[in-house]
Coordinates of all heavy atoms in Angstrom, one line a residue:
Chain F
L151 N -15.2 -3.3 6.2 CA -15.2 -2.7 7.5 C -15.3 -1.2 7.4 O -15.9 -0.6 8.3 CB -13.9 -3.1 8.3 CG -14.0 -4.3 9.2 CD1 -12.8 -4.4 10.1 CD2 -15.3 -4.2 10.1
I152 N -14.8 -0.7 6.3 CA -15.0 0.8 6.2 C -16.4 1.2 5.9 O -16.9 2.2 6.4 CB -14.0 1.3 5.1 CG1 -12.6 1.1 5.5 CG2 -14.3 2.8 4.8 CD1 -11.6 1.4 4.4
T153 N -17.1 0.3 5.1 CA -18.5 0.6 4.9 C -19.3 0.4 6.2 O -20.3 1.1 6.5 CB -19.1 -0.3 3.9 OG1 -18.7 -1.6 4.1 CG2 -18.6 0.0 2.5
R154 N -18.9 -0.5 7.1 CA -19.5 -0.7 8.4 C -19.3 0.6 9.2 O -20.2 1.0 9.9 CB -18.8 -1.9 9.1 CG -19.3 -2.0 10.5 CD -18.4 -3.1 11.2 NE -18.8 -3.4 12.6 CZ -18.4 -2.6 13.6 NH1 -17.6 -1.6 13.3 NH2 -18.8 -2.9 14.8
Y155 N -18.2 1.2 9.0 CA -18.0 2.5 9.8 C -19.0 3.6 9.2 O -19.5 4.4 10.0 CB -16.6 3.0 9.6 CG -16.5 4.4 10.0 CD1 -16.4 4.8 11.4 CD2 -16.4 5.5 9.1 CE1 -16.3 6.1 11.8 CE2 -16.3 6.8 9.5 CZ -16.2 7.1 10.8 OH -16.1 8.4 11.2
L156 N -19.3 3.5 7.9 CA -20.2 4.5 7.4 C -21.7 4.3 8.0 O -22.4 5.2 8.2 CB -20.3 4.4 5.9 CG -19.1 5.0 5.1 CD1 -19.4 4.8 3.6 CD2 -19.0 6.4 5.4
V157 N -22.0 3.1 8.1 CA -23.3 2.8 8.6 C -23.5 2.9 10.1 O -24.4 3.6 10.6 CB -23.8 1.3 8.2 CG1 -25.1 1.0 8.8 CG2 -23.9 1.2 6.7
Y158 N -22.5 2.4 10.8 CA -22.6 2.3 12.3 C -21.3 2.7 12.9 O -20.4 2.0 13.2 CB -22.8 0.8 12.6 CG -22.9 0.5 14.0 CD1 -23.9 1.0 14.8 CD2 -22.0 -0.4 14.7 CE1 -24.1 0.7 16.1 CE2 -22.1 -0.6 16.0 CZ -23.1 -0.1 16.8 OH -23.2 -0.4 18.1
P159 N -21.1 4.1 13.0 CA -19.8 4.6 13.4 C -19.6 4.5 14.9 O -19.7 5.5 15.7 CB -19.9 6.1 13.0 CG -21.3 6.4 13.0 CD -22.1 5.1 12.7
N160 N -19.3 3.3 15.4 CA -19.1 3.1 16.8 C -17.9 2.3 17.0 O -17.4 1.6 16.2 CB -20.3 2.4 17.4 CG -20.4 2.7 18.9 OD1 -19.5 3.2 19.5 ND2 -21.6 2.4 19.4
F161 N -17.3 2.5 18.2 CA -16.0 1.9 18.5 C -16.1 0.7 19.3 O -15.4 0.6 20.4 CB -15.1 3.0 19.1 CG -13.7 2.7 19.0 CD1 -13.0 2.6 17.8 CD2 -12.9 2.5 20.2 CE1 -11.7 2.3 17.8 CE2 -11.6 2.2 20.1 CZ -11.0 2.1 18.9
D162 N -16.9 -0.2 18.9 CA -17.0 -1.4 19.8 C -16.2 -2.6 19.2 O -16.2 -3.7 19.5 CB -18.4 -1.9 19.9 CG -19.1 -2.1 18.5 OD1 -18.5 -1.8 17.5 OD2 -20.3 -2.6 18.5
L163 N -15.3 -2.2 18.2 CA -14.4 -3.2 17.6 C -13.2 -3.3 18.5 O -12.6 -2.4 18.9 CB -14.0 -2.7 16.2 CG -13.6 -3.7 15.2 CD1 -14.8 -4.5 14.8 CD2 -13.1 -3.0 14.0
D164 N -12.9 -4.6 18.8 CA -11.7 -4.9 19.6 C -10.5 -4.9 18.8 O -10.1 -5.9 18.2 CB -11.9 -6.1 20.4 CG -11.0 -6.3 21.6 OD1 -10.2 -5.3 21.8 OD2 -11.0 -7.3 22.2
L165 N -9.7 -3.7 18.8 CA -8.6 -3.6 18.0 C -7.4 -4.5 18.5 O -6.5 -4.9 17.7 CB -8.1 -2.2 17.9 CG -9.0 -1.3 17.0 CD1 -8.3 0.0 16.8 CD2 -9.2 -1.9 15.7
H166 N -7.4 -4.8 19.8 CA -6.3 -5.6 20.3 C -6.4 -7.0 19.9 O -5.4 -7.7 19.6 CB -6.2 -5.5 21.9 CG -5.8 -4.1 22.3 ND1 -4.4 -3.8 22.3 CD2 -6.4 -3.1 22.8 CE1 -4.3 -2.6 22.7 NE2 -5.5 -2.1 23.1
T167 N -7.7 -7.5 19.8 CA -7.8 -8.8 19.3 C -7.4 -8.9 17.8 O -6.7 -9.8 17.4 CB -9.3 -9.2 19.4 OG1 -9.8 -8.9 20.7 CG2 -9.5 -10.7 19.1
L168 N -7.7 -7.8 17.0 CA -7.3 -7.8 15.6 C -5.7 -7.8 15.5 O -5.2 -8.4 14.7 CB -7.9 -6.6 14.9 CG -9.1 -6.8 14.1 CD1 -9.6 -5.5 13.5 CD2 -8.9 -7.8 13.1
E169 N -5.1 -7.0 16.5 CA -3.6 -7.0 16.4 C -3.0 -8.3 16.8 O -2.1 -8.8 16.1 CB -3.2 -5.9 17.4 CG -1.8 -5.4 17.1 CD -1.2 -4.7 18.2 OE1 -1.9 -4.5 19.2 OE2 0.0 -4.3 18.2
K170 N -3.6 -9.0 17.8 CA -3.1 -10.3 18.1 C -3.3 -11.3 17.0 O -2.4 -12.1 16.6 CB -3.8 -10.8 19.4 CG -3.3 -10.3 20.7 CD -3.7 -11.2 21.8 CE -3.2 -10.6 23.1 NZ -3.8 -9.4 23.5
L171 N -4.5 -11.2 16.3 CA -4.7 -12.0 15.2 C -3.7 -11.7 14.1 O -3.3 -12.7 13.4 CB -6.2 -11.7 14.6 CG -6.6 -12.3 13.3 CD1 -6.8 -13.8 13.6 CD2 -7.8 -11.7 12.7
E172 N -3.3 -10.4 13.9 CA -2.4 -10.1 12.9 C -1.0 -10.7 13.1 O -0.3 -11.3 12.3 CB -2.3 -8.6 12.6 CG -1.7 -8.3 11.3 CD -1.4 -6.9 11.1 OE1 -1.6 -6.1 12.1 OE2 -0.9 -6.5 10.0
K173 N -0.7 -10.6 14.4 CA 0.7 -11.2 14.8 C 0.7 -12.8 14.6 O 1.7 -13.3 14.1 CB 1.0 -10.8 16.2 CG 1.4 -9.4 16.4 CD 1.6 -9.0 17.8 CE 2.0 -7.6 17.9 NZ 2.0 -7.1 19.3
F174 N -0.4 -13.4 15.0 CA -0.5 -14.8 14.8 C -0.5 -15.2 13.3 O 0.2 -16.1 12.9 CB -1.8 -15.3 15.4 CG -2.0 -16.8 15.2 CD1 -1.2 -17.7 15.9 CD2 -2.9 -17.3 14.4 CE1 -1.3 -19.1 15.7 CE2 -3.1 -18.6 14.2 CZ -2.3 -19.5 14.8
L175 N -1.2 -14.3 12.5 CA -1.2 -14.6 11.1 C 0.2 -14.4 10.5 O 0.6 -15.1 9.5 CB -2.1 -13.7 10.4 CG -3.6 -14.0 10.5 CD1 -4.5 -12.9 9.9 CD2 -3.9 -15.3 9.8
F176 N 1.0 -13.4 11.0 CA 2.3 -13.2 10.5 C 3.2 -14.4 10.8 O 4.0 -14.8 10.0 CB 2.9 -11.9 11.1 CG 4.3 -11.7 10.7 CD1 4.7 -11.4 9.4 CD2 5.4 -11.9 11.6 CE1 5.9 -11.2 9.0 CE2 6.7 -11.7 11.2 CZ 7.0 -11.4 10.0
L177 N 3.0 -14.9 12.0 CA 3.8 -16.2 12.4 C 3.5 -17.3 11.4 O 4.4 -18.0 10.9 CB 3.5 -16.6 13.8 CG 4.3 -17.7 14.3 CD1 5.7 -17.2 14.5 CD2 3.8 -18.2 15.7
S178 N 2.1 -17.4 11.1 CA 1.8 -18.5 10.1 C 2.4 -18.2 8.7 O 2.8 -19.1 8.0 CB 0.2 -18.6 10.0 OG -0.3 -18.6 11.3
I179 N 2.3 -16.9 8.3 CA 2.9 -16.6 7.0 C 4.3 -16.9 6.9 O 4.9 -17.3 5.9 CB 2.5 -15.1 6.7 CG1 1.1 -14.9 6.4 CG2 3.3 -14.6 5.5 CD1 0.7 -13.5 6.2
V180 N 5.1 -16.7 8.0 CA 6.5 -17.0 8.0 C 6.7 -18.5 8.0 O 7.5 -19.1 7.3 CB 7.2 -16.3 9.2 CG1 8.7 -16.8 9.3 CG2 7.2 -14.8 9.0
M181 N 5.9 -19.2 8.9 CA 6.2 -20.6 9.0 C 5.8 -21.5 7.8 O 6.5 -22.4 7.5 CB 5.4 -21.2 10.2 CG 6.0 -20.8 11.6 SD 7.8 -21.0 11.7 CE 7.8 -22.8 11.8
T182 N 4.7 -21.1 7.1 CA 4.3 -21.9 6.0 C 5.3 -22.1 4.9 O 5.7 -23.1 4.4 CB 2.9 -21.5 5.5 OG1 2.1 -21.2 6.6 CG2 2.3 -22.5 4.6
P183 N 5.8 -20.9 4.3 CA 6.8 -21.1 3.3 C 8.1 -21.7 3.8 O 8.8 -22.4 3.0 CB 7.0 -19.6 2.8 CG 5.9 -18.9 3.2 CD 5.5 -19.5 4.5
V184 N 8.5 -21.4 5.0 CA 9.7 -21.9 5.5 C 9.6 -23.4 5.5 O 10.6 -24.1 5.1 CB 10.0 -21.4 6.9 CG1 11.1 -22.3 7.6 CG2 10.5 -20.0 6.8
L185 N 8.5 -24.0 6.0 CA 8.4 -25.4 6.0 C 8.2 -26.0 4.6 O 8.7 -27.0 4.3 CB 7.2 -25.8 7.0 CG 7.4 -25.6 8.4 CD1 6.2 -25.9 9.2 CD2 8.6 -26.3 8.9
Y186 N 7.4 -25.3 3.8 CA 6.9 -26.0 2.6 C 7.9 -25.7 1.4 O 8.2 -26.6 0.7 CB 5.6 -25.5 2.2 CG 4.9 -26.2 1.1 CD1 4.4 -27.5 1.3 CD2 4.9 -25.7 -0.2 CE1 3.9 -28.2 0.2 CE2 4.5 -26.4 -1.3 CZ 3.9 -27.7 -1.1 OH 3.4 -28.4 -2.1
V187 N 8.4 -24.5 1.3 CA 9.2 -24.1 0.1 C 10.7 -24.3 0.5 O 11.5 -24.9 -0.3 CB 8.9 -22.7 -0.3 CG1 9.8 -22.3 -1.5 CG2 7.5 -22.6 -0.7
F188 N 11.1 -23.8 1.6 CA 12.5 -23.8 1.9 C 13.0 -25.2 2.4 O 14.0 -25.7 1.9 CB 12.9 -22.7 3.0 CG 12.6 -21.3 2.5 CD1 12.3 -20.4 3.4 CD2 12.6 -21.0 1.2 CE1 12.0 -19.1 3.0 CE2 12.3 -19.7 0.8 CZ 12.0 -18.8 1.7
M189 N 12.3 -25.8 3.3 CA 12.7 -27.1 3.8 C 12.2 -28.3 3.0 O 12.5 -29.4 3.3 CB 12.3 -27.2 5.3 CG 13.0 -26.2 6.1 SD 12.5 -26.3 7.9 CE 13.2 -27.8 8.3
Q190 N 11.3 -27.9 2.1 CA 10.8 -29.0 1.1 C 10.1 -30.1 1.8 O 10.3 -31.3 1.4 CB 11.9 -29.5 0.2 CG 12.6 -28.5 -0.7 CD 11.8 -28.3 -1.9 OE1 11.2 -29.2 -2.5 NE2 11.8 -27.1 -2.4
I191 N 9.3 -29.8 2.8 CA 8.5 -30.9 3.5 C 7.2 -31.0 2.6 O 6.2 -30.3 2.8 CB 8.2 -30.5 4.9 CG1 9.5 -30.3 5.7 CG2 7.4 -31.6 5.6 CD1 9.3 -29.8 7.1
Q192 N 7.3 -31.9 1.6 CA 6.3 -32.0 0.6 C 6.0 -33.5 0.4 O 6.9 -34.3 0.6 CB 6.6 -31.4 -0.7 CG 6.9 -29.9 -0.6 CD 7.5 -29.4 -1.9 OE1 7.8 -30.2 -2.8 NE2 7.7 -28.1 -2.0
P193 N 4.7 -33.8 0.0 CA 4.5 -35.2 -0.3 C 5.2 -35.5 -1.7 O 5.6 -34.7 -2.4 CB 3.0 -35.3 -0.4 CG 2.5 -33.9 -0.6 CD 3.5 -33.1 0.1
A194 N 5.1 -36.8 -2.0 CA 5.8 -37.2 -3.3 C 5.1 -36.6 -4.5 O 5.7 -36.1 -5.4 CB 5.8 -38.7 -3.4
D195 N 3.7 -36.7 -4.5 CA 3.0 -36.1 -5.6 C 2.6 -34.7 -5.2 O 1.7 -34.5 -4.3 CB 1.8 -37.0 -5.9 CG 1.1 -36.4 -7.2 OD1 1.7 -35.7 -7.9 OD2 -0.1 -36.8 -7.3
T196 N 3.1 -33.7 -5.9 CA 3.0 -32.3 -5.4 C 1.9 -31.6 -6.1 O 1.7 -30.4 -5.9 CB 4.2 -31.5 -5.5 OG1 4.7 -31.6 -6.9 CG2 5.3 -32.1 -4.6
T197 N 1.0 -32.2 -7.0 CA 0.1 -31.4 -7.7 C -1.0 -30.9 -6.8 O -1.4 -29.7 -6.9 CB -0.6 -32.3 -8.8 OG1 -0.9 -33.6 -8.2 CG2 0.4 -32.5 -9.9
L198 N -1.5 -31.7 -5.8 CA -2.5 -31.2 -4.9 C -2.0 -30.4 -3.8 O -2.6 -29.3 -3.5 CB -3.2 -32.5 -4.3 CG -4.5 -32.1 -3.5 CD1 -5.5 -31.4 -4.3 CD2 -5.0 -33.3 -2.8
S199 N -0.8 -30.7 -3.3 CA -0.3 -30.0 -2.2 C 0.1 -28.6 -2.6 O 0.0 -27.6 -1.8 CB 0.9 -30.7 -1.6 OG 1.9 -30.7 -2.5
H200 N 0.6 -28.4 -3.9 CA 0.9 -27.1 -4.3 C -0.4 -26.2 -4.4 O -0.3 -25.0 -3.9 CB 1.5 -27.1 -5.7 CG 2.9 -27.4 -5.8 ND1 3.8 -26.9 -4.8 CD2 3.7 -28.1 -6.7 CE1 5.0 -27.3 -5.1 NE2 5.0 -27.9 -6.2
Q201 N -1.5 -26.7 -4.8 CA -2.7 -26.0 -4.8 C -3.1 -25.6 -3.4 O -3.5 -24.5 -3.1 CB -3.8 -26.8 -5.4 CG -3.6 -27.3 -6.8 CD -4.0 -26.4 -7.9 OE1 -4.8 -25.5 -7.6 NE2 -3.3 -26.4 -9.0

Side-chain angles (χ1 to χ4, degrees):
Chain F
L151 266 191
I152 294 171
T153 52
R154 175 188 179 276
Y155 168 75
L156 285 179
V157 175
Y158 179 64
N160 205 345
F161 196 64
D162 57 354
L163 205 68
D164 195 1
L165 286 188
H166 288 287
T167 312
L168 264 181
E169 197 196 0
K170 281 200 180 64
L171 173 73
E172 195 187 7
K173 285 173 181 170
F174 178 72
L175 283 172
F176 176 68
L177 188 67
S178 311
I179 287 175
V180 172
M181 286 311 288
T182 313
V184 164
L185 291 177
Y186 189 78
V187 178
F188 298 153
M189 296 177 68
Q190 296 277 327
I191 303 176
Q192 299 168 355
D195 184 20
T196 56
T197 46
L198 184 63
S199 67
H200 275 327
Q201 304 272 335

